[in-house]
Amino acid sequence: HSRENCVQFSFANGDKKAHCDNCYCYVCDIPAKDCTQWHSHCQASHGERRWREERERFKRLGIEAASAAAQPTTTAAALAALAPAA
């Protein structure tokens, strides 16, 4: 289930970073424990347009390329991941 649907840790009233073993990242669509952007993605919910758009961006770019693009510094590997295939 997505973090916002967790019954063990209330999304509305609790620490959004907390998650159970079954929570997954709404944006990355991977287990929450494996999300490298959890500090931000823990806030994601289907009800917010911003997060739906971010989820679609991750699907289009792929998790690794999107994560690299979200980093403050751009590396050659990140640029290569974002470049169209030749």
Side-chain angles (χ1 to χ4, degrees):
H1 56 261
S2 130
R3 170 61 186 94
E4 70 178 313
N5 297 319
C6 186
V7 296
Q8 185 174 350
F9 297 101
S10 173
F11 189 76
N13 301 322
D15 175 13
K16 291 184 174 40
K17 290 182 182 177
H19 56 81
C20 75
D21 292 340
N22 295 317
C23 284
Y24 72 88
C25 175
Y26 175 77
V27 178
C28 300
D29 203 21
I30 62 173
K33 66 180 179 61
D34 297 329
C35 175
T36 61
Q37 300 293 318
W38 189 246
H39 62 279
S40 170
H41 292 176
C42 68
Q43 303 286 328
S45 70
H46 182 74
E48 293 184 44
R49 180 179 175 197
R50 168 185 178 233
W51 292 115
R52 290 191 306 271
E53 290 172 352
E54 185 74 359
R55 180 179 167 100
E56 287 304 314
R57 184 174 75 89
F58 264 66
K59 285 181 182 180
R60 282 193 313 273
L61 296 177
I63 293 168
E64 291 179 22
S67 293
Q71 297 301 314
T73 57
T74 304
T75 64
L79 291 173
L82 295 172

